[in-house]
Amino acid sequence: MTLRSLILEMRSRPHRVVHDLAAAAAADSTTHGSSQDYRWSEIPEELLREILIRVEAADGGEWPSRRSVVACAGVCRSWRLLMNETVAVPQISSKLTFPISLKQPGPRDSLVQCFIKRNRVTHSYHLYLGLTNSLTDDGKFLLAACKMKHTTCTDYIISLRSDDMSKRSQAYVGKVRSNFLGTKFTVFDGNLLPTTGATKLRKSRSSNPAKVSSKVPLGSYPVAHITYELNVLGSRGPRKMQCVMDTIPTSAMESQGVASEPSEFPLLGTRSTFSRSQSKPLRSSSSHLKETPLVLSNKTPRWHEQLRCWCLNFHGRVTVASVKNFQLVAAAAPTSGSVSGGGMGSSPERQNERIILQFGKVGKDMFTMDYGYPISAFQAFAICLSSFETRIACE
């Protein structure tokens, strides 16, 4: 069995089958007296590294050819560790390869182009990675969310699978929770944990997630707070929003700034580490920020006299006017104290500031979502989900 035939098998079969094929190939070679009496996992490191580098370089950075990279990482631990060294994080490569890439910051010099499809019947939302510059391609599925209405709030459960929205599932990523009026939202990360006693308990049982006590809730660590300004006068106009990113310091926006890059899903023992960097939470055990958190605010649109509407330049990525459309940039100065409903008035012109997240409508139930450093795909998706809530008090 050659390497090429093994990779072809890996594209269509699960990890366990692939590993068995490799073992069978090694056993077969031993039976026939071949000098290659080792398994695929025992290929010399220098040779394996060269093979994986060529696989990574030959994929072109697009799906479905990128499946070869994922297949190689699923062969065994040694292949996974070397592929980990070969594939750069999204901040550098602009590629979303493994599940953990959805929690890592986007590229510094560009925006990752995604789109969201809404299903009004099931109250579900699906995030896809755009594979071309077209607004009509099928895309690569990334995340799914489901809206759950409660008496006093609304939850958006975010999952790696569209058919599994359980908070206790291994596919659970996090959630977005609104207040009663739908003017304030909190983004909870289902895997990023504070350094508390509960964390130690979870870590001690991380090898078997099913044994984690039900008294230790999953997804209880807030990573962002989103606030929409109340429109007390009732005049029609663009929404004003502000996002406080609890786990991203303001210094991340500097030229030498660094945003945390989580390397694994800590609660899921069956998931693998695909990144070399380690997460560095900004909160200490006393729940106080070590650094000032990054604050994002929506870019103020300009009034177009001829069209008689508020306008923003989305560079062709938005085609339908909607109150939901927005662009987020780093605020000129962080807001002191806790975020309140007021104090988010328009700031001076920021035309030269880099867009961190933009969201806009292109069809009845189709929206584009483009994001970049220092936020991740998960954080961007969560912020966009907050825009779907109906808020008469904010418009």
Side-chain angles (χ1 to χ4, degrees), residues 326-337:
F326 66 81
Q327 291 178 326
L328 290 185
V329 297
T335 303
S336 60

Side-chain angles (χ1 to χ4, degrees), residues 166-202:
S166 171
K167 292 182 182 180
R168 308 208 67 81
S169 167
Q170 292 186 358
Y172 176 68
V173 178
K175 69 179 180 181
V176 182
R177 169 164 290 183
S178 75
N179 63 354
F180 179 74
L181 293 177
T183 57
K184 294 184 180 181
F185 296 79
T186 303
V187 180
F188 295 92
D189 192 307
N191 304 111
L192 182 60
L193 307 175
T195 53
T196 62
T199 303
K200 295 179 181 179
L201 174 62
R202 292 176 183 177

Side-chain angles (χ1 to χ4, degrees), residues 31-101:
T31 303
H32 291 80
S34 171
S35 59
Q36 297 179 342
D37 57 351
Y38 48 77
R39 308 172 75 174
W40 286 103
S41 60
E42 297 172 346
I43 293 178
E45 183 175 326
E46 295 77 10
L47 175 60
L48 179 57
R49 179 179 283 106
E50 181 65 24
I51 292 172
L52 297 183
I53 289 176
R54 294 191 180 189
V55 172
E56 162 69 3
D59 77 346
E62 297 179 353
W63 296 88
S65 58
R66 196 149 185 80
R67 292 174 183 169
S68 300
V69 176
V70 178
C72 288
V75 173
C76 60
R77 180 176 177 80
S78 61
W79 285 49
R80 181 166 61 252
L81 293 177
L82 284 177
M83 185 54 78
N84 171 43
E85 297 178 5
T86 304
V87 177
V89 295
Q91 182 182 162
I92 300 174
S93 65
S94 303
K95 300 174 184 177
L96 302 178
T97 305
F98 303 113
I100 194 59
S101 301

Side-chain angles (χ1 to χ4, degrees), residues 5 19 37 64 124 159 170 173 217 229 250 259 266 294 301 310 328 334 350:
S5 62
H19 197 280
D37 57 351
S124 61
S159 173
Q170 292 186 358
V173 178
E229 182 177 301
T250 303
L294 175 67
W310 297 94
L328 290 185
R350 296 188 294 239

Side-chain angles (χ1 to χ4, degrees), residues 4 10 38 65 82 106 138 147 154 176 254 264-265 278 297 299 310 318 338 355 357-359 367 370 377:
R4 178 179 178 82
M10 287 188 292
Y38 48 77
S65 58
L82 284 177
D138 293 333
K147 180 179 179 180
T154 299
V176 182
E254 300 174 0
E264 60 182 338
F265 290 89
Q278 296 295 321
S297 59
K299 195 171 184 178
W310 297 94
V318 176
S338 59
I355 302 298
L357 170 63
Q358 68 177 19
F359 171 79
F367 305 81
D370 303 337

Side-chain angles (χ1 to χ4, degrees), residues 149-386:
K149 200 78 174 179
H150 304 292
T151 305
T152 59
C153 65
T154 299
D155 280 349
Y156 288 87
I157 305 300
I158 303 176
S159 173
L160 291 170
R161 295 178 54 182
S162 59
D163 60 347
D164 188 353
M165 290 293 166
S166 171
K167 292 182 182 180
R168 308 208 67 81
S169 167
Q170 292 186 358
Y172 176 68
V173 178
K175 69 179 180 181
V176 182
R177 169 164 290 183
S178 75
N179 63 354
F180 179 74
L181 293 177
T183 57
K184 294 184 180 181
F185 296 79
T186 303
V187 180
F188 295 92
D189 192 307
N191 304 111
L192 182 60
L193 307 175
T195 53
T196 62
T199 303
K200 295 179 181 179
L201 174 62
R202 292 176 183 177
K203 286 184 176 180
S204 65
R205 302 180 180 180
S206 61
S207 58
N208 190 347
K211 293 183 179 180
V212 177
S213 171
S214 59
K215 295 182 180 180
V216 183
L218 299 180
S220 59
Y221 184 50
V223 295
H225 292 82
I226 308 163
T227 303
Y228 289 83
E229 182 177 301
L230 286 170
N231 186 355
V232 294
L233 299 179
S235 59
R236 300 289 292 180
R239 290 178 179 172
K240 296 177 182 178
M241 62 185 295
Q242 186 181 78
C243 305
V244 179
M245 311 304 297
D246 292 351
T247 57
I248 303 177
T250 303
S251 60
M253 296 302 297
E254 300 174 0
S255 58
Q256 302 298 323
V258 177
S260 61
E261 295 178 355
S263 59
E264 60 182 338
F265 290 89
L267 289 180
L268 307 181
T270 58
R271 290 182 183 171
S272 303
T273 300
F274 289 118
S275 172
R276 288 163 289 175
S277 304
Q278 296 295 321
S279 177
K280 299 178 181 178
L282 300 179
R283 290 185 182 272
S284 63
S285 58
S286 59
S287 299
H288 292 298
L289 287 174
K290 293 181 179 179
E291 300 181 54
T292 303
L294 175 67
V295 178
L296 306 178
S297 59
N298 62 312
K299 195 171 184 178
T300 305
R302 62 181 179 85
W303 178 256
H304 197 291
E305 288 292 343
Q306 294 180 339
L307 298 178
R308 305 298 297 173
C309 65
W310 297 94
C311 298
L312 282 171
N313 184 7
F314 288 92
H315 302 283
R317 292 285 294 166
V318 176
T319 58
V320 179
S322 172
V323 70
K324 296 179 175 64
N325 302 346
F326 66 81
Q327 291 178 326
L328 290 185
V329 297
T335 303
S336 60
S338 59
V339 179
S340 62
M344 294 187 295
S346 60
S347 59
E349 255 334 282
R350 296 188 294 239
Q351 297 296 334
N352 295 326
E353 290 196 21
R354 182 174 63 86
I355 302 298
I356 295 175
L357 170 63
Q358 68 177 19
F359 171 79
K361 193 172 185 179
V362 293
K364 181 179 179 180
D365 293 301
M366 182 85 163
F367 305 81
T368 55
M369 185 197 88
D370 303 337
Y371 77 96
Y373 181 87
I375 67 174
S376 64
F378 161 69
Q379 292 168 332
F381 187 39
I383 294 173
C384 292
L385 288 173
S386 72

